[in-house]
Amino acid sequence: MIFRVLMVYLRSKKAPRLSMFDTGSLTMRATLTDVDFAMHINNGMYFSIFDLGRFDLMFRSGVWDVMRKNKWTPVVQTETITFRKSVELGKKFSQETRLLGMDEKCIYFEQRIVVKGEIYARAYIATRMTSRKGAVSNEEIMKAVGLEVPKDRVVPQWLLDWRENGALPGSRKPAPHNWIG
């Protein structure tokens, strides 16, 4: 994936600039390193492909430069995916990325795998920025990148509930490993 991230970075230099609130699109093809023995993209590989879409949006919007300047690191807090159809070896697809909005902790993305205008897979991903001092507030991020969240970007309540209900305790709190039931 590091090679692919590098390729996305180099292509982003020639691609049109985007706002973080635009929809990013990457045209890709399912390769041997993406598929499993069933010869379709492995379920775990989708999350790596979605990483590429978020990186592309950060590169093309200039947010990556702000992150590097401030020594921030993007991390995924929680994610979920739903599959509809398999993307088989050699199949061309687009990976679409859209920032949905944010709450007090996370920035939410919807990402899709699309083949010939049809959704094959869709994921929702809640991300954060961290620094050596800990989590970076969304307010600080928006101020640094000089953006405000458009009023039409409202994260659906079910998605906020999903993240909150699925979250593990913060890294400074205990999270004992005890199976229940």
Side-chain angles (χ1 to χ4, degrees):
M1 283 316 272
I2 290 175
F3 176 73
R4 274 186 160 169
V5 172
L6 180 59
M7 293 304 298
V8 167
Y9 176 74
L10 294 173
R11 287 182 187 153
S12 74
K13 296 294 185 188
K14 295 181 181 180
R17 291 271 296 172
L18 293 175
S19 161
M20 275 304 289
F21 299 106
D22 290 333
T23 299
S25 181
L26 289 173
T27 301
M28 304 178 76
R29 189 173 302 275
T31 67
L32 275 174
T33 57
D34 300 329
V35 299
D36 56 21
F37 287 113
M39 300 311 283
H40 61 232
I41 294 179
N42 176 276
N43 59 305
M45 183 54 72
Y46 282 93
F47 287 122
S48 292
I49 291 169
F50 290 140
D51 285 347
L52 295 173
R54 292 190 311 280
F55 276 116
D56 179 61
L57 199 53
M58 287 185 285
F59 295 151
R60 292 174 62 192
S61 66
V63 168
W64 182 256
D65 298 330
V66 174
M67 289 170 41
R68 294 296 91 206
K69 177 183 163 200
N70 288 291
K71 298 181 180 172
W72 296 340
T73 303
V75 295
V76 170
Q77 198 264 342
T78 191
E79 55 193 356
T80 188
I81 191 168
T82 303
F83 303 100
R84 238 185 107 248
K85 290 186 174 185
S86 295
V87 178
E88 297 164 342
L89 177 64
K91 185 168 287 242
K92 191 174 179 180
F93 62 93
S94 67
Q95 189 282 292
E96 310 287 325
T97 301
R98 184 169 194 255
L99 192 153
L100 293 176
M102 54 190 64
D103 63 11
E104 69 284 346
K105 289 187 177 182
C106 292
I107 301 171
Y108 294 83
F109 292 88
E110 179 177 341
Q111 295 187 268
R112 300 174 178 181
I113 299 297
V114 179
V115 176
K116 296 181 181 175
E118 188 175 3
I119 300 171
Y120 274 44
R122 179 181 62 204
Y124 293 98
I125 297 148
T127 66
R128 301 190 74 179
M129 292 283 186
T130 62
S131 72
R132 290 180 187 228
K133 298 175 187 172
V136 180
S137 73
N138 287 339
E139 184 178 303
E140 184 178 353
I141 295 166
M142 291 293 108
K143 184 177 177 183
V145 298
L147 291 174
E148 288 186 30
V149 179
K151 301 240 186 276
D152 69 336
R153 298 300 171 101
V154 178
V155 179
Q157 187 61 47
W158 73 265
L159 195 54
L160 298 171
D161 294 342
W162 160 78
R163 188 204 58 81
E164 186 66 33
N165 293 330
L168 289 168
S171 62
R172 292 188 174 99
K173 295 180 183 175
H177 171 63
N178 296 318
W179 290 109
I180 299 173

